[in-house]
Amino acid sequence: MSCSLDILGDRWTLLVVRDLMLGRSRFKDFVASPEGIPTNILSDRLERLVTNGIAEQVPLADGAKRFGYRLTDKGRALRPVLESVRDWGLAWEPGTRVLMKPGDA
Amino acid sequence: MSCSLDILGDRWTLLVVRDLMLGRSRFKDFVASPEGIPTNILSDRLERLVTNGIAEQVPLADGAKRFGYRLTDKGRALRPVLESVRDWGLAWEPGTRVLMKPGDA
DNA sequence: AATCATCGCTTGCAAAATGAAAGCAAAATA
DNA sequence: TATTTTGCTTTCATTTTGCAAGCGATGATT
């Protein structure tokens, strides 16, 4: 648990993972999410996700020079964590709404 | 998710919840956990857990003047979160060991 | 081809959170 | 009563956060 929380234990990391799980892959998409992550934090979190093997960089389109981000298997394995956090919020925190639906990506 | 992470999204909160789930209730017990939480942080986290309705204070023994902490229903509802985080760590982070076993408390 | 807007960051800086250590009064223990 | 333990609080240096501005490279437009 402690090791997991060294990686996941902050306000932003799991939100980025959620966006990745929803299929978003580009910097601007993460920035556009309703929570409004600061760009320097996003840079740092993406870098950490990559170094921790949770996400990886991929070329965006054929021959494009930009890159996007995508979850690895290790990253996709976080789905139960995201779902349990979401479900707990829905059940116990009033005014919580769903951004990630059960069947996504 | 964002609302949940406002409460749970840091390195220590879920570790304290885990200790509570294991039945620990006293300040010194949380301090004695192997992760070594600083006492000022522990104070702050216990206070937040109480104000967020995840834990509550209870008299320790009959007529004692000390108080301990205990999970509320809302706090106990975090079990799936703890378990999914633990399971992910076990599966994907090498060198992770189990402190909280499936059948506890 | 030239211009312009967008993208994916980085930098600077103030404010907040963290962590180590020491201190301390009330409670428990001897 | 004397001593130790407990449950914190305080202090302060360091790190992290968050906002804003800036900036070169890419992509789109004309």
Side-chain angles (χ1 to χ4, degrees):
Chain A
M1 282 236 7
S2 178
C3 300
S4 303
L5 291 175
D6 281 347
I7 301 174
L8 309 173
D10 78 284
R11 171 136 66 269
W12 294 111
T13 302
L14 285 179
L15 289 172
V16 176
V17 172
R18 178 206 57 189
D19 282 352
L20 285 162
M21 199 90 71
L22 289 171
R24 305 191 217 280
S25 66
R26 302 187 56 173
F27 197 92
K28 63 164 179 168
D29 297 329
F30 305 131
V31 172
S33 269
E35 291 84 9
I37 185 172
T39 58
N40 53 343
I41 306 286
L42 176 57
S43 276
D44 179 73
R45 293 307 185 271
L46 285 171
E47 197 179 314
R48 284 199 211 181
L49 287 174
V50 170
T51 59
N52 285 314
I54 292 170
E56 60 192 350
Q57 287 186 313
V58 292
L60 263 183
D62 329 323
K65 290 180 181 175
R66 303 260 194 188
F67 286 82
Y69 297 87
R70 182 175 50 172
L71 288 177
T72 61
D73 287 340
K74 184 176 177 181
R76 276 185 289 275
L78 284 169
R79 173 175 290 274
V81 175
L82 294 182
E83 289 180 346
S84 61
V85 169
R86 180 204 57 192
D87 291 344
W88 181 82
L90 283 174
W92 294 94
E93 284 297 309
T96 315
R97 276 174 298 147
V98 187
L99 257 176
M100 192 179 73
K101 288 164 196 159
D104 286 333
Chain B
M1 282 234 8
S2 178
C3 300
S4 302
L5 290 175
D6 281 346
I7 301 174
L8 309 173
D10 78 284
R11 170 136 66 268
W12 294 110
T13 302
L14 284 180
L15 289 172
V16 175
V17 173
R18 177 205 60 187
D19 283 351
L20 285 163
M21 200 91 69
L22 289 171
R24 304 190 218 280
S25 66
R26 301 186 59 172
F27 198 91
K28 62 164 181 170
D29 298 329
F30 304 130
V31 172
S33 268
E35 290 86 8
I37 185 172
T39 58
N40 52 346
I41 306 284
L42 177 56
S43 275
D44 179 73
R45 292 306 185 273
L46 285 171
E47 196 180 315
R48 282 199 212 183
L49 287 174
V50 170
T51 58
N52 285 313
I54 292 170
E56 60 191 349
Q57 288 185 313
V58 291
L60 263 183
D62 329 321
K65 290 180 181 179
R66 301 261 194 189
F67 286 82
Y69 297 87
R70 181 174 53 171
L71 288 176
T72 61
D73 286 340
K74 184 177 178 181
R76 276 184 289 274
L78 283 169
R79 173 174 290 276
V81 174
L82 294 182
E83 288 181 345
S84 60
V85 169
R86 180 203 57 192
D87 292 344
W88 181 83
L90 284 174
W92 295 94
E93 285 296 311
T96 314
R97 277 174 296 147
V98 186
L99 258 177
M100 192 179 72
K101 289 165 196 158
D104 285 333

